[in-house]
Every structure is written in structure tokens, then in C-alpha cells.
Amino acid sequence: MTHGSGEHGGLTKSLGLVRLSLYGVGTIIGAGIYSVIGPAAGAAGEGVWLSFLIAAVISAFSGLSYAEIASALPGAGAEHNFLRKTFPAFPALAFMIGLFIAVHGAATLATVALTFGNYAQAFMPITPVIIAFVLMGLATVINIAGISKASFVSAALTVLQVSCLIVFAMFAIPSGERGMPEFAVATDNFAGVLQGAAILFFIYSGYEHMASLSEEAKRPDRDLWRAFMIALGVTTLVYMVVILGILSLINAEFLAGSPSPLADAAGVMGGGFAMVIIAAALIATANAVLSASLSGSRILFGMARDGDLPKPLAWTLGSSRSPWVGALAYLTVACGLASVGEIEFVASLSSLGVILVFAAINAAVIVLRFTQPDLERPFRLPSIANVPPTALLGIATSLLLATQYDLSVYLTFGAIFLLGALPYTFIRRRGGQLPTSGKGDE
């Protein structure tokens, strides 16, 4: 076991462009396409396709900012690392955003595990919450085994799940009796469309998970921004063809009331399509749970190594150098959220967290242009007067979506944040680091 913090206990560099890109595609597509289409359709109606498009555009603004900042400042801890280096005089800001992304990640882990449980009921009569607990536990074991093994499993699952979605769209779009949606209808319910986009934003998160693996990239300066661009293009294309395929088969009202909307849409085509989609959903959710466990444990690792969380969270295990304590801590929080059992509520917590983080990352890109103008940027956004317009749009649109949730979501998010802030307050009062208690760096 390695008890690492500070400059000790670094993570193994084993990820190239292909694995980074596949990890990104698998994380972004993940389980959201199977879980939150129904709630989004309930808000947006037949204009849910526009909700997909709006969420994609807003997500793209932040994806571009991530490509610039992650390739310039690679390191475990991702957003926490970026903001510590952008605002060194305000360490509490970096902690706050790091905790936002940690809440988002734990909620993502719980949401996709519950989705797996819902789809798995087609094969086993066990409550979704119990299935979710088992799946999250298994993903944590694979995570602790090491990034090389985990990324190989994730890459294989990504290829399978994307292939299933593309096959579904190829058959659904030409065979659907409803044809393409009436695009003009979306403008009659723009408030609902916007609310739908806020719900769907959950399925476009994933850049933050990619960024958390930057310390384990072999060539972060060359590969990170390319992986971001590949993931952005592939996922946007897949999502759009899938939602058009669904709407060609079933209407939004039916979609809103379905616990497994994609499988029900596939069932309209007959044959074994529904079982294929259920299998794809299980693959996708399992992959997303693994990805969330990987990235979440590394967020906690980076924050602990920088002295913002208890030092044991930066301990790594053996030759795999996996942050095992962080992985177990993440599992504990995610199990607590999964016990709620309501996918829409937990997904909204996840979406709110990542929206706030995206706004902060866009702001950090702008600030760094002025505070560190000579910083080497392997990928650089086009700018006007040294300010990238896409980053400004990312801030404005993210904050707009952040106003679209129920009060219960804000209250729960705030409570989790305050609970997580207690260790930070204690650590800062003790001078920035916890005592080692006899378990210092080796």
C-alpha cells in the first residue's frame, strides 16, 4: 500500500488517445440516454428533440473549454486542480468546485446504477436499489484493481453500447410510422423545452470525467484535447439520431410515462429489438458506473493530495496505484443517494452539479488568458481581445440551465455540499494538512 500525498503517490501513465477517446464516448453516452429521456419528454413534449440539441450546444461550449484547460494543466483532481492554479489566492473556490464535481459524480454513479437495476428487472426479480448496490460494489473492485484493467473493460463496453445504439437508429428512422418530428411544434413550449434540456444535461456530462484522468494520460499535451473533440463529435451525432429514431416510433406522451423508454421504442419494431436494447442498456449502465467510480475516486485523490480533504483519501494501493480509499468513500456516498430510488431526482442533482462546474471552468479559461498569458496551450480556442466567445456563452447558458430545477434539488444539493465542507474547515484550521496519525508517506 502506498500512502501518497503531495508529490508522492502519483498515478500510473497508461492511457493513449484511443483509450481516452473511448473512455470519453462511453462516459458521455453512458446510461443517460436510457434513463432520463422519459422525464425530459414529460417536460418538453414533442419538442424533446430540441431539448437534446440545446443541451448538446451548451455542453459543447464547455467541452471546448475543457479541451484547452485540461491539455494545459493536466493532473488528477481535474477541476479542483484547474481552479487552484487559476485562482491561487482563493483556495476555497477550488475546493467548492471540486466538491460540486464530487457531488455530481456520486449522483451520476447512483443514477446509472439505478437505471441498470430498472432494466435488469427484465431478467431478475430483484429491486433496482439492491441491484444498484451490487453493481457499484463490483465497479469499485475493478477500479481498485487499476486504471489499465479498468480502461480496457470500459473501452470494450463502449464499442458494444455505441454499436447497439447506431443499429437501433438505422432501423428505427426508416421504419417508424410517425416519421420525423414536426420541428415547428417545439417552439410552442419553449419553457418546457428548456426544462427538458436541463434534465438532459446529465447525459452530456462526461468531459469532467475525462479531465480527471489527465494525470494518467501518456501524452496529455497531444492526446487530451483530441480526445475531447472526438468524444464531443461522436456523442452528439449518436444522441441526435437516437432521439429522432425514438420519436419516429412512439409519441412523447408515451415516452414520458415509460420506465424503460428506449426498450419500449425498440419493442414497437418487433422481433428481438427490445431485448437488444435492454442488453445495450445494461452494457451502457455498467460502463457508466465504472467510469463514474474511476473519475470520482481521482477527484477525491487530487483534493486530498492538495490538502483540501482528509489525507487518507490520497492513499493508493500497491503497484496499481489506485486511490482505493477514495473509491470506497465514493461508493458509500453513491449508495446513500441510490437508496432514494428516484432517477429523475438523483439525475437532477447530478446535472446541477456539473452545470455549476462547467460555468466555473469556462470562467477559468478566460481568467487564465490574462493571468498566465504565456502558459503553453496545446489546444487554444479562437478569441476576440483574448477572450474566447465560446467560454462566455458557456458561462451564460450554463447559469441559465441552473435555474430550471425544483426547490428540493437545490436544498439537497446544498445539504450535501455543507456536509462535505466540514472536513475542509477542520483541515484549514489545523494548518492545511491533517496529521498523519502514524500513517505517513512511505
Side-chain angles (χ1 to χ4, degrees):
M1 182 186 301
T2 301
H3 296 161
S5 69
E7 295 180 358
H8 304 287
L11 303 176
T12 304
K13 293 184 177 296
S14 59
L15 302 179
L17 176 61
V18 173
R19 284 196 185 181
L20 283 169
S21 300
L22 286 173
Y23 176 85
V25 171
T27 301
I28 296 171
I29 289 182
I33 192 71
Y34 303 95
S35 58
V36 296
I37 295 179
E46 292 294 329
V48 67
W49 66 269
L50 184 56
S51 296
F52 268 84
L53 189 58
I54 291 173
V57 171
I58 295 174
S59 165
F61 294 146
S62 297
L64 291 168
S65 289
Y66 265 101
E68 176 168 316
I69 199 169
S71 59
L73 300 172
E79 295 79 6
H80 177 259
N81 170 56
F82 304 154
L83 291 168
R84 280 183 69 93
K85 294 178 178 178
T86 304
F87 303 101
F90 303 99
L93 177 62
F95 167 78
M96 180 177 70
I97 296 303
L99 196 56
F100 282 173
I101 203 65
V103 173
H104 152 70
T108 298
L109 185 57
T111 301
V112 294
L114 285 171
T115 303
F116 182 95
N118 283 339
Y119 278 91
Q121 286 190 304
F123 303 100
M124 57 185 80
I126 303 174
T127 62
V129 173
I130 298 300
I131 296 173
F133 287 168
V134 172
L135 176 63
M136 290 188 291
L138 180 60
T140 301
V141 170
I142 297 174
N143 178 1
I144 293 173
I147 187 65
S148 181
K149 297 180 181 67
S151 66
F152 178 80
V153 173
S154 178
L157 293 176
T158 296
V159 172
L160 284 172
Q161 74 186 56
V162 172
S163 298
C164 288
L165 288 174
I166 291 174
V167 168
F168 163 77
M170 287 174 59
F171 281 92
I173 291 175
S175 64
E177 295 183 358
R178 301 184 73 236
M180 289 293 97
E182 297 181 16
F183 298 111
V185 173
T187 58
D188 296 338
N189 180 28
F190 190 74
V193 167
L194 198 59
Q195 185 180 3
I199 296 171
L200 287 170
F201 204 80
F202 164 74
I203 73 175
Y204 284 98
S205 65
Y207 306 115
E208 72 288 355
H209 300 305
M210 294 176 69
S212 70
L213 300 186
S214 58
E215 187 172 316
E216 292 157 285
K218 295 177 182 177
R219 289 283 308 276
D221 58 329
R222 182 194 67 185
D223 293 340
L224 265 180
W225 69 268
R226 290 188 172 96
F228 276 112
M229 295 299 98
I230 291 170
L232 174 62
V234 171
T235 54
T236 300
L237 177 62
V238 170
Y239 277 152
M240 290 310 299
V241 297
V242 167
I243 189 58
L244 292 176
I246 291 173
L247 290 176
S248 72
L249 295 168
I250 57 178
N251 61 41
E253 183 178 359
F254 181 84
L255 196 59
S258 172
S260 52
L262 202 52
D264 288 340
V268 173
M269 294 188 289
F273 278 105
M275 294 307 297
V276 169
I277 289 300
I278 289 174
L282 294 175
I283 293 170
T285 46
N287 191 18
V289 165
L290 176 58
S291 298
S293 177
L294 284 169
S295 62
S297 60
R298 281 145 180 84
I299 287 289
L300 298 182
F301 169 89
M303 294 178 69
R305 186 173 61 178
D306 290 335
D308 284 347
L309 285 177
K311 195 173 183 179
L313 292 171
W315 291 353
T316 57
L317 183 66
S319 60
S320 71
R321 290 201 237 167
S322 176
W324 66 280
V325 178
L328 293 175
Y330 224 62
L331 172 64
T332 301
V333 176
C335 285
L337 292 173
S339 64
V340 174
E342 296 183 14
I343 287 179
E344 182 178 355
F345 176 76
V346 181
S348 293
L349 283 175
S350 175
S351 294
L352 177 59
V354 78
I355 284 170
L356 295 174
V357 170
F358 280 9
I361 292 301
N362 282 296
V365 167
I366 295 172
V367 171
L368 278 174
R369 289 293 187 93
F370 295 94
T371 59
Q372 298 186 41
D374 298 326
L375 179 68
E376 183 179 353
R377 294 170 171 83
F379 174 78
R380 187 181 181 91
L381 290 169
S383 59
I384 299 173
N386 208 29
V387 175
T390 54
L392 288 175
L393 289 169
I395 295 171
T397 52
S398 294
L399 293 179
L400 175 63
L401 283 189
T403 65
Q404 302 299 310
Y405 299 100
D406 293 335
L407 179 61
S408 60
V409 173
Y410 298 115
L411 293 176
T412 304
F413 190 92
I416 296 172
F417 174 78
L418 290 176
L419 184 63
L422 291 177
Y424 176 81
T425 303
F426 175 76
I427 290 169
R428 288 300 166 191
R429 287 183 176 179
R430 295 294 296 267
Q433 289 284 351
L434 281 176
T436 60
S437 301
K439 290 185 177 184
D441 301 338
E442 294 179 354

